[in-house]
Amino acid sequence: MLTRLDLRGSHPSTAELRRLLPRGGTDIDSVTPTVAPIVDAVRARGAAAALEYGARFDGCTPPSAPSVRVPRDVVDAAVDTLDPAVVAALRDAVGRVRAFHSAQVPTDTRVEVAPGGVVTERWIPVRRVGLYVPGGQAVYPSSVVMNAVPAQEAGVEQLVVASPPQADNDGWPHPTVLAACSILGVDEVWAVGGAQAVALLAHGGAPGEEELEPVDMVTGPGNVYVTAAKRLCRGTVGIDAEAGPTEIAVLADATADPVAVAYDLISQAEHDVMAASVLITDSEELADAVDREVAARHGRTLNADRVREALTGPQSGIVLVDDTDAAVRVADAYAAEHLEVQTADARAVAARVTNAGAVFVGPDSPVPLGDYAAGSNHVLPTSGSARHSSGLSTHTFLRSVHVVDYDRDALAAVADTVTTLAAAERLPAHGEAVRARFAGTGEEDL
């Protein structure tokens, strides 16, 4: 069922591996001409334009129209509509994610680089953040948790969750999403989705819509139209990343359980028909067994058609390699959003991997654990960007500001260095700005 790439006996370069390995992706440029008019309309007309596009794409508008804000009582009432087991699971997940992300908060650093010359690094939270939570094929209260908790731990002052209105829910976002907002204390929720949501978060309401204040940053996953809107609004606001379809790579040897590996590949494939599921192994026997199990089991899931399309697409497959060293090299070239290591001595093998959004060690740390309640974040770099980028964390919502505090003697001591380098760069006014401070004081020769 899964296509195979046999690299045994060959030694491809990193460049060759990047070309050869299964890889999905989205063509953001192809949808930009569709998204740009939406962004322009929302920038000009605010919520009115966003609601028009919502009626067209979502098939409904919220009962609060012409406002997109979901009343606080509607948000809080959603908790009572859920199975108590779901509420308990959400609270458990929040506690685990908060425990990990609270430990990420950095401390300010103060360094006296010379007598009287102090440079301090301050960490300051972004003031107002928009968190996008998609609707569509699935329901994502976990995205509320993964975006809101690190923002809260960073000290973000104001959070806005935007999620599409749904005809099946009286024009409000899904009640499970609203309940997650209530549990987390997020009381500003906008019933707006898609590219128009990103544009409204970035630009805020039109004149007369003062309740819709623009945000400083937009985070959260979404489809290619949401990603294109984030690209177009980048600069007006900060964004976390241009996320592509989800992906999993499983680095496994003959000791792995083929049934567990098969289910892990299937689990990511149910997200999206473009989701990527890749097995990297030096065991042909395991490859055969996993392929059989995937073929036998994928049809039993609720989302069988979606899973089948994803698993048989060019972005998914099995990569056969000579040994563990080669497997690690392939995994680093692939740079998966999620990488599972299911080998003998999995911890040692996992420690050798350098490129992955998140690494899941051993058979008892599957990716679905990280999707919900491991404590880690599930908003991770995709499409190979784990080679250079990190996933969402508390750090995402913090800005590093350098504070320079020199006294007169410290400035005098470094004046020659500044003026010499300024002259070397043919920017003499930089040096003169320092020298001017000592003119007429008897300190001109410093």
Side-chain angles (χ1 to χ4, degrees), residues 124-132 147 150-151 154 156 158-162 190 197-198 200-203 213-220 230 233-241 392-399:
I124 302 173
V126 176
R127 186 186 70 85
R128 181 169 167 85
V129 174
L131 313 177
Y132 185 73
N147 282 270
V156 171
Q158 298 176 10
L159 296 179
V160 184
V161 167
W190 297 0
V198 174
L200 192 61
L201 288 168
H203 296 289
E213 181 185 352
V215 302
D216 303 307
M217 171 179 276
V218 176
T219 69
K230 289 169 77 174
C233 293
R234 187 171 192 165
T236 301
V237 291
I239 65 170
D240 50 347
L392 200 70
S393 72
T394 302
H395 300 130
T396 304
F397 302 97
L398 292 165
R399 296 163 293 133

Side-chain angles (χ1 to χ4, degrees), residues 64-75:
S64 56
S67 172
V68 298
R69 289 196 64 160
V70 181
R72 177 62 183 270
D73 61 336
V74 173
V75 175

Side-chain angles (χ1 to χ4, degrees), residues 28-198:
I28 298 171
D29 290 337
S30 68
V31 303
T32 299
T34 300
V35 173
I38 298 174
V39 173
D40 291 342
V42 173
R43 179 172 55 238
R45 298 193 295 114
L51 287 166
E52 289 171 11
Y53 283 110
R56 183 190 307 178
F57 300 135
D58 300 317
C60 66
T61 55
S64 56
S67 172
V68 298
R69 289 196 64 160
V70 181
R72 177 62 183 270
D73 61 336
V74 173
V75 175
D76 290 340
V79 178
D80 296 329
T81 69
L82 297 189
D83 183 329
V86 175
V87 175
L90 281 171
R91 294 189 187 280
D92 185 25
V94 167
R96 293 169 186 266
V97 174
R98 195 176 298 285
F100 179 67
H101 287 76
S102 65
Q104 295 178 341
V105 180
T107 57
D108 292 354
T109 302
R110 181 183 184 278
V111 178
E112 188 172 29
V113 298
V118 175
V119 179
T120 301
E121 182 177 44
R122 292 178 57 202
W123 293 96
I124 302 173
V126 176
R127 186 186 70 85
R128 181 169 167 85
V129 174
L131 313 177
Y132 185 73
V133 179
Q137 296 180 343
V139 183
Y140 292 104
S142 59
S143 289
V144 182
V145 175
M146 297 295 176
N147 282 270
V149 169
Q152 290 173 334
E153 292 305 313
V156 171
E157 182 180 331
Q158 298 176 10
L159 296 179
V160 184
V161 167
S163 194
Q166 299 188 341
D168 292 342
N169 297 299
D170 300 322
W172 300 123
H174 196 280
T176 311
V177 169
L178 295 179
C181 293
S182 179
I183 289 168
L184 285 161
V186 177
D187 57 7
E188 189 171 353
V189 182
W190 297 0
V192 58
Q196 61 271 22
V198 174

